[in-house]
Amino acid sequence: MEENRIGICMICEQQRSGGIHIITAFICDECSGEIVKTNVNDQKYPFFVNQMKKALYLGNSKQYMN
């Protein structure tokens, strides 16, 4: 059973259908594909790392807020 996931991508910040949810963040299929094929020496790599840090930070802070 496959769901049609829709959300605002944390990488490109566009509303997209198709992607994955990591903690509380959504990453569209296009960006997840770009992340996977990006070499650590690529100029885009630090951008992807920082965007992922945001997802982890926001996800962890929401988990402990009550």
Side-chain angles (χ1 to χ4, degrees), residues 7-8 15 30 38 47 61-62:
I8 297 178
Q15 184 169 347
E30 293 86 3
T38 299
F47 171 75
S61 67
K62 288 180 182 178

Side-chain angles (χ1 to χ4, degrees), residues 12-50:
C12 66
E13 300 179 347
Q14 300 294 315
Q15 184 169 347
R16 306 281 182 162
S17 64
I20 58 173
H21 286 275
I22 300 175
I23 307 173
T24 60
F26 176 76
I27 301 175
C28 71
D29 288 333
E30 293 86 3
C31 288
S32 64
E34 186 73 19
I35 290 168
V36 169
K37 67 181 182 180
T38 299
N39 187 296
V40 297
N41 297 319
D42 193 298
Q43 290 179 333
K44 294 181 281 185
Y45 187 79
F47 171 75
F48 291 139
V49 170
N50 286 328

